[in-house]
Amino acid sequence: MSGTTINTPAGTPFVEVTREFAASPAQLFRVMSDRDLVAEWLGPRELDATIEEYDVRTGGKYRYVHRDDSGEYAFRGVFHTVEQDRLIIQTFEWEGAPGEVCIEKMTLEPTEKGVRLHQQSVFPSVEARDQSIEYGMESGINDSMDRLAELLAKES
Protein backbone atom coordinates (compact mmCIF):
# COMPACT_ATOMS: atom_id res chain seq x y z
CA MET A 1 0.00 0.00 0.00
CA SER A 2 1.04 3.62 0.00
CA GLY A 3 3.38 5.17 2.52
CA THR A 4 2.56 7.50 5.35
CA THR A 5 1.77 11.14 4.67
CA ILE A 6 2.59 13.60 7.46
CA ASN A 7 1.42 17.19 7.13
CA THR A 8 2.78 19.80 9.57
CA PRO A 9 1.59 23.19 8.31
CA ALA A 10 4.00 25.96 9.32
CA GLY A 11 2.73 28.34 11.98
CA THR A 12 -0.03 26.00 13.21
CA PRO A 13 -0.26 23.57 16.15
CA PHE A 14 -1.56 20.81 13.84
CA VAL A 15 -0.21 17.50 12.59
CA GLU A 16 -2.14 15.32 10.14
CA VAL A 17 -1.14 11.73 9.40
CA THR A 18 -2.69 9.56 6.71
CA ARG A 19 -1.90 5.95 5.81
CA GLU A 20 -3.74 3.27 3.88
CA PHE A 21 -3.55 -0.35 4.94
CA ALA A 22 -4.47 -3.61 3.23
CA ALA A 23 -6.92 -4.55 5.97
CA SER A 24 -10.52 -4.01 6.98
CA PRO A 25 -11.49 -1.30 9.48
CA ALA A 26 -12.22 -4.09 11.98
CA GLN A 27 -8.74 -5.60 11.55
CA LEU A 28 -7.04 -2.22 11.92
CA PHE A 29 -9.11 -1.32 14.98
CA ARG A 30 -8.26 -4.67 16.62
CA VAL A 31 -4.51 -4.21 16.08
CA MET A 32 -4.73 -0.60 17.29
CA SER A 33 -6.64 -1.51 20.45
CA ASP A 34 -5.30 -4.91 21.58
CA ARG A 35 -2.78 -4.18 24.32
CA ASP A 36 -0.44 -7.03 23.34
CA LEU A 37 -0.50 -6.11 19.65
CA VAL A 38 0.04 -2.40 20.34
CA ALA A 39 3.39 -3.25 21.94
CA GLU A 40 4.49 -4.78 18.62
CA TRP A 41 4.00 -1.68 16.47
CA LEU A 42 3.87 1.48 18.58
CA GLY A 43 6.91 3.73 18.40
CA PRO A 44 10.33 3.76 16.79
CA ARG A 45 11.90 0.39 15.98
CA GLU A 46 14.96 1.05 18.14
CA LEU A 47 12.90 1.47 21.33
CA ASP A 48 11.42 -1.29 23.49
CA ALA A 49 7.80 -0.71 24.47
CA THR A 50 5.98 -1.72 27.63
CA ILE A 51 2.23 -1.19 27.62
CA GLU A 52 1.25 -0.61 31.24
CA GLU A 53 -2.41 0.21 30.59
CA TYR A 54 -4.45 0.30 27.38
CA ASP A 55 -8.20 0.39 27.95
CA VAL A 56 -9.62 1.41 24.56
CA ARG A 57 -13.16 2.47 25.42
CA THR A 58 -14.86 5.79 26.00
CA GLY A 59 -13.45 6.96 29.35
CA GLY A 60 -10.58 4.43 29.30
CA LYS A 61 -6.95 5.33 29.95
CA TYR A 62 -3.58 4.34 28.58
CA ARG A 63 0.05 4.53 29.60
CA TYR A 64 3.08 3.09 27.89
CA VAL A 65 6.84 3.43 28.24
CA HIS A 66 9.52 3.34 25.55
CA ARG A 67 13.07 2.47 26.59
CA ASP A 68 16.53 2.62 25.12
CA ASP A 69 20.07 2.85 26.49
CA SER A 70 19.51 6.57 27.20
CA GLY A 71 16.45 6.16 29.38
CA GLU A 72 12.67 5.89 29.52
CA TYR A 73 10.00 7.89 27.72
CA ALA A 74 6.51 7.52 29.18
CA PHE A 75 3.27 8.59 27.51
CA ARG A 76 -0.30 8.64 28.79
CA GLY A 77 -3.78 9.75 27.91
CA VAL A 78 -7.51 9.25 28.09
CA PHE A 79 -9.82 7.86 25.41
CA HIS A 80 -12.61 10.43 25.15
CA THR A 81 -14.65 8.79 22.38
CA VAL A 82 -14.32 5.31 20.96
CA GLU A 83 -16.55 3.98 18.20
CA GLN A 84 -15.39 0.49 17.31
CA ASP A 85 -13.90 0.13 13.82
CA ARG A 86 -14.52 3.83 13.07
CA LEU A 87 -13.24 6.50 15.47
CA ILE A 88 -10.92 7.17 18.41
CA ILE A 89 -10.55 10.57 20.07
CA GLN A 90 -7.92 10.69 22.80
CA THR A 91 -5.51 12.89 24.65
CA PHE A 92 -1.77 12.35 24.30
CA GLU A 93 0.84 13.53 26.78
CA TRP A 94 4.56 12.85 26.99
CA GLU A 95 5.32 12.72 30.71
CA GLY A 96 8.61 14.54 30.02
CA ALA A 97 6.56 17.65 29.21
CA PRO A 98 3.71 17.59 31.74
CA GLY A 99 0.72 19.72 30.86
CA GLU A 100 1.54 19.78 27.12
CA VAL A 101 -1.49 17.67 26.20
CA CYS A 102 -2.52 17.03 22.60
CA ILE A 103 -5.96 16.08 21.36
CA GLU A 104 -5.91 13.37 18.69
CA LYS A 105 -8.72 12.23 16.43
CA MET A 106 -8.25 9.02 14.45
CA THR A 107 -10.75 7.92 11.84
CA LEU A 108 -10.79 4.58 10.04
CA GLU A 109 -12.36 4.89 6.59
CA PRO A 110 -13.03 1.89 4.33
CA THR A 111 -11.48 2.21 0.85
CA GLU A 112 -11.54 0.05 -2.26
CA LYS A 113 -8.21 -1.51 -1.25
CA GLY A 114 -8.60 -1.64 2.52
CA VAL A 115 -8.78 1.08 5.13
CA ARG A 116 -7.44 4.62 5.47
CA LEU A 117 -6.27 5.80 8.88
CA HIS A 118 -6.44 9.57 9.22
CA GLN A 119 -5.10 11.13 12.41
CA GLN A 120 -5.40 14.79 13.33
CA SER A 121 -3.41 16.05 16.32
CA VAL A 122 -3.82 19.45 17.93
CA PHE A 123 -0.96 20.55 20.16
CA PRO A 124 -1.42 23.21 22.87
CA SER A 125 0.84 25.61 20.94
CA VAL A 126 2.86 25.95 17.76
CA GLU A 127 6.00 25.79 19.91
CA ALA A 128 4.95 22.47 21.49
CA ARG A 129 4.23 21.01 18.05
CA ASP A 130 7.55 22.25 16.66
CA GLN A 131 9.43 20.84 19.65
CA SER A 132 7.83 17.43 19.07
CA ILE A 133 8.99 17.57 15.46
CA GLU A 134 12.53 18.45 16.62
CA TYR A 135 12.50 15.46 18.99
CA GLY A 136 11.88 13.08 16.07
CA MET A 137 8.10 12.78 16.00
CA GLU A 138 8.00 12.25 12.23
CA SER A 139 10.45 9.33 12.22
CA GLY A 140 8.56 7.77 15.14
CA ILE A 141 5.26 8.11 13.26
CA ASN A 142 6.77 6.62 10.09
CA ASP A 143 8.24 3.68 12.04
CA SER A 144 4.93 3.08 13.84
CA MET A 145 2.89 3.14 10.63
CA ASP A 146 5.35 0.82 8.82
CA ARG A 147 5.35 -1.58 11.77
CA LEU A 148 1.55 -1.43 11.91
CA ALA A 149 1.37 -2.36 8.19
CA GLU A 150 3.80 -5.25 8.76
CA LEU A 151 1.76 -6.55 11.69
CA LEU A 152 -1.50 -6.29 9.75
CA ALA A 153 0.07 -8.30 6.90
CA LYS A 154 1.06 -11.05 9.39
CA GLU A 155 -2.35 -10.99 11.11
CA SER A 156 -4.36 -11.29 7.86
Side-chain angles (χ1 to χ4, degrees), residues 11 33 35 42 58 64 72 76 99 103 118 124 130 133 142-143:
S33 60
R35 173 188 184 135
L42 184 62
T58 299
Y64 59 89
E72 294 186 350
R76 65 181 173 194
I103 300 291
H118 183 74
D130 290 350
I133 292 170
N142 280 314
D143 270 2

Side-chain angles (χ1 to χ4, degrees), residues 30-54:
R30 184 178 70 79
V31 172
M32 289 176 61
S33 60
D34 180 298
R35 173 188 184 135
D36 295 329
L37 295 175
V38 168
E40 293 186 40
W41 65 264
L42 184 62
R45 291 183 191 277
E46 67 272 10
L47 299 179
D48 293 322
T50 301
I51 309 299
E52 294 182 353
E53 182 175 12
Y54 217 78

Side-chain angles (χ1 to χ4, degrees), residues 108-138:
L108 287 64
E109 304 167 14
T111 66
E112 289 183 15
K113 297 180 180 180
V115 60
R116 179 179 303 114
L117 172 63
H118 183 74
Q119 178 177 323
Q120 299 167 298
S121 300
V122 181
F123 285 75
S125 66
V126 174
E127 294 77 21
R129 194 278 313 254
D130 290 350
Q131 188 173 41
S132 291
I133 292 170
E134 287 177 30
Y135 285 159
M137 175 190 73
E138 290 185 57

Side-chain angles (χ1 to χ4, degrees), residues 5-155:
T5 301
I6 302 172
N7 186 18
T8 57
T12 73
F14 308 123
V15 174
E16 290 189 3
V17 178
T18 304
R19 175 77 181 243
E20 290 198 30
F21 298 96
S24 69
Q27 289 169 316
L28 179 57
F29 185 87
R30 184 178 70 79
V31 172
M32 289 176 61
S33 60
D34 180 298
R35 173 188 184 135
D36 295 329
L37 295 175
V38 168
E40 293 186 40
W41 65 264
L42 184 62
R45 291 183 191 277
E46 67 272 10
L47 299 179
D48 293 322
T50 301
I51 309 299
E52 294 182 353
E53 182 175 12
Y54 217 78
D55 184 11
V56 183
R57 63 176 177 80
T58 299
K61 298 186 298 185
Y62 71 89
R63 185 174 192 273
Y64 59 89
V65 180
H66 285 128
R67 291 178 181 82
D68 65 10
D69 293 339
S70 300
E72 294 186 350
Y73 316 94
F75 302 87
R76 65 181 173 194
V78 175
F79 295 103
H80 287 266
T81 303
V82 176
E83 295 177 13
Q84 186 165 337
D85 305 340
R86 200 179 87 67
L87 173 72
I88 298 173
I89 299 173
Q90 67 185 36
T91 60
F92 175 85
E93 179 179 14
W94 174 44
E95 291 180 5
E100 296 293 320
V101 179
C102 297
I103 300 291
E104 298 181 332
K105 178 182 180 183
M106 292 168 276
T107 57
L108 287 64
E109 304 167 14
T111 66
E112 289 183 15
K113 297 180 180 180
V115 60
R116 179 179 303 114
L117 172 63
H118 183 74
Q119 178 177 323
Q120 299 167 298
S121 300
V122 181
F123 285 75
S125 66
V126 174
E127 294 77 21
R129 194 278 313 254
D130 290 350
Q131 188 173 41
S132 291
I133 292 170
E134 287 177 30
Y135 285 159
M137 175 190 73
E138 290 185 57
S139 65
I141 290 170
N142 280 314
D143 270 2
S144 291
M145 294 295 108
D146 289 347
R147 294 172 70 195
L148 183 54
E150 294 161 10
L151 182 57
L152 282 164
K154 285 189 336 190
E155 292 285 314

